[in-house]
């Protein structure tokens, strides 16, 4: 049914239809028995898929990646779709509009998206306020970043502000230094600035009565030498784990015509074309860390087979985003059913 509906949805500009559909889901949820209707169609029925990772118990290993619910507006509704966890953000200390529209593009021939959203969000305080009101007990991760106008030399302060703002309402944190859509952000993945940032956040974490898991989200475009540095830094700073991977700046091997890609312009590519790259990064980190670093996999996960590939490569959990757009609201249910078999 969703494949028929998708043809209509894909006729509307991506960002516009996203907000329209999510408002519609919120309306359904608010109706008498609306929650039950959503769960009847989408909730995961497969048993025995629970996972325990960095002190948290996940009902199943399939989560929703950051970027879909940037401002924590739909946590309760998304919990009805069977996800084992939801990651909000990327959240910045101050609200910001992000890059100019249009900034989200579909590549149906490749089952992919290109986005250059630019961390558009309403700010950390607004997200925290919504999370305090949520009714669902689903695990929520807080993906945090810096504001566009904050120079890299002052980036640590932005991540600190987000950490404090979300600390009481997020179950884990993800440090995003790998988005290609904020100028110079990826420079923070270099060894020394990254080490400084993560050491600082872990110092703040140690001062809390209860420490929260902090993970690092990395790009799929890193060299093996850079991945070696990442492994060393994560182990040295005693980070809880890695999210692998973010979107890619590569445009290799696409079925979409080159002229269309050139017209779209800059942005991060996600979906099917990232699957192999993401899996290779996961496998490298898992092998070269001797399996000591927990990994949440993201990148090109559409089916149970895709998820299993990531788990076999060394991941403990998986996240979907582009797959959710192309496969529809029952994706978590379908992946979990496949994993159960």
């Amino acid at each position: 049914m969703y494949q028929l509906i998708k043809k209509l949805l894909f006729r509307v500009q991506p960002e516009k239809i996203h907000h329209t559909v999510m408002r519609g889901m919120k309306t359904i949820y608010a109706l008498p028995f609306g929650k039950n209707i959503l769960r009847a169609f989408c909730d995961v029925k497969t048993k025995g898929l629970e996972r325990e990772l960095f002190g948290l118990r996940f009902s199943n290993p399939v989560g929703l990646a950051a970027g879909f619910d940037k401002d924590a507006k739909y946590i309760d509704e998304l919990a009805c779709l069977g996800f084992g966890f939801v990651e909000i953000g990327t959240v910045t200390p101050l609200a910001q509009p992000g890059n100019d529209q249009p900034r989200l593009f579909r590549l149906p021939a490749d089952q992919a998206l290109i986005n250059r959203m630019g961390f558009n969000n309403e700010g950390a305080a607004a997200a925290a306020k919504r999370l305090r009101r949520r009714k669902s007990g689903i695990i929520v991760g807080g993906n945090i970043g810096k504001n566009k106008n904050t120079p890299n030399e002052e980036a640590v302060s932005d991540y600190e502000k987000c950490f404090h703002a979300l600390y009481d309402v997020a179950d884990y944190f993800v440090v995003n230094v790998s988005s290609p859509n904020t100028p110079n952000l990826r420079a923070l993945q270099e060894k020394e600035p990254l080490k400084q940032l993560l050491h600082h956040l872990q110092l703040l974490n140690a001062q809390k009565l209860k420490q929260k898991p902090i993970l690092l989200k990395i790009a799929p475009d890193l060299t093996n030498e850079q991945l070696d540095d990442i492994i060393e830094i994560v182990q040295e700073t005693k980070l809880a784990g890695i999210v692998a991977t973010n979107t890619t700046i590569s445009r290799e091997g696409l079925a979409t015509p080159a002229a269309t890609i050139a017209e779209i312009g800059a942005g991060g590519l996600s979906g099917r074309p990232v699957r192999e790259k993401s899996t290779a990064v996961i496998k490298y980190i898992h092998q070269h860390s001797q399996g000591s670093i927990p990994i949440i996999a993201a990148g090109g996960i559409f089916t149970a087979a895709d998820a299993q590939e990531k788990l076999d490569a060394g991941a403990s959990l998986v996240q979907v985003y582009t797959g959710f757009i192309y496969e529809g609201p029952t994706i978590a249910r379908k992946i979990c059913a496949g994993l159960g078999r």
Side-chain angles (χ1 to χ4, degrees):
M1 183 183 294
Y2 178 73
Q3 296 307 314
L4 294 174
I5 296 172
K6 185 173 73 173
K7 292 180 180 179
L8 298 175
L9 299 180
F10 274 29
R11 291 181 179 178
V12 184
Q13 198 272 337
E15 195 169 351
K16 181 178 180 181
I17 198 64
H18 169 81
H19 293 299
T20 301
V21 169
M22 293 312 296
R23 285 194 295 266
M25 192 169 82
K26 204 170 189 70
T27 300
I28 293 171
Y29 181 88
L31 294 172
F33 306 110
K35 185 192 306 184
N36 295 335
I37 293 170
L38 290 173
R39 284 180 171 161
F41 283 100
C42 304
D43 204 7
V44 170
K45 310 297 182 185
T46 311
K47 305 298 181 184
L49 293 179
E50 296 84 1
R51 298 284 194 279
E52 190 146 344
L53 197 66
F54 33 80
L56 299 173
R57 188 161 183 81
F58 297 81
S59 60
N60 70 68
V62 183
L64 182 61
F68 193 89
D69 188 9
K70 291 177 178 290
D71 292 303
K73 291 181 176 179
Y74 309 108
I75 297 296
D76 293 331
E77 291 80 8
L78 291 167
C80 294
L81 303 188
F83 294 110
F85 58 108
V86 172
E87 196 171 301
I88 68 159
T90 296
V91 171
T92 56
L94 301 176
Q96 61 180 25
N99 295 322
D100 293 339
Q101 297 190 37
R103 54 193 180 184
L104 181 61
F105 307 88
R106 305 184 193 97
L107 277 58
D110 294 288
Q111 289 189 288
L113 299 172
I114 291 176
N115 92 82
R116 52 171 177 269
M117 305 299 285
F119 289 174
N120 56 304
N121 75 108
E122 296 176 10
K129 184 176 180 180
R130 291 191 185 97
L131 287 175
R132 288 190 186 95
R133 296 199 301 259
R134 69 187 174 104
K135 299 178 178 65
S136 166
I138 193 171
I139 290 174
V140 174
N143 188 300
I144 57 177
K146 78 174 188 72
N147 281 112
K148 180 179 181 178
N149 294 331
T150 302
N152 279 8
E153 300 75 39
E154 300 171 20
V156 171
S157 175
D158 273 16
Y159 287 91
E160 176 178 340
K161 290 171 184 173
C162 290
F163 179 76
H164 286 312
L166 295 175
Y167 175 81
D168 291 329
V169 290
D171 296 295
Y172 71 90
F173 286 90
V174 176
V175 178
N176 188 354
V177 291
S178 53
S179 169
N181 301 318
T182 294
N184 302 317
L185 182 74
R186 283 191 170 192
L188 294 175
Q189 289 183 123
E190 297 299 325
K191 191 170 185 178
E192 290 310 313
L194 183 58
K195 191 185 296 186
Q196 179 188 356
L197 170 60
L198 297 179
H199 267 303
H200 184 73
L201 289 175
Q202 284 290 59
L203 180 63
L204 297 175
N205 205 14
Q207 295 169 356
K208 300 289 188 179
L209 290 176
K210 180 185 177 184
Q211 294 186 17
K212 297 288 177 78
I214 300 177
L215 293 85
L216 173 67
K217 188 165 189 175
I218 62 172
D221 308 307
L222 300 176
T223 64
N224 287 347
E225 291 75 17
Q226 288 173 312
L227 290 175
D228 290 336
D229 287 342
I230 293 290
I231 292 169
E232 178 187 327
I233 292 168
V234 167
Q235 291 176 331
E236 182 183 322
T237 58
K238 296 181 171 56
L239 233 58
I242 288 174
V243 179
T245 61
N246 212 319
T247 57
T248 180
I249 56 175
S250 171
R251 300 292 189 265
E252 292 180 10
L254 296 178
T256 303
T260 302
I261 299 299
E263 185 180 348
I264 289 171
L269 175 72
S270 63
R272 285 284 188 200
V274 190
R275 182 179 63 82
E276 291 184 8
K277 263 190 173 186
S278 170
T279 302
V281 169
I282 292 163
K283 189 175 293 185
Y284 187 94
I285 292 170
H286 182 70
Q287 291 177 348
H288 287 76
S289 69
Q290 288 77 51
S292 64
I293 299 176
I295 301 170
I296 299 179
I301 299 170
F302 286 63
T303 66
D306 298 331
Q308 190 63 58
E309 177 184 87
K310 296 291 195 280
L311 298 173
D312 290 342
S316 299
L317 303 169
V318 301
Q319 291 179 326
V320 298
Y321 180 103
T322 306
F324 186 29
I325 304 299
Y326 279 89
E327 297 296 316
T330 59
I331 187 170
R333 183 173 185 168
K334 290 176 179 176
I335 290 177
C336 286
L339 293 177
R341 288 193 295 270

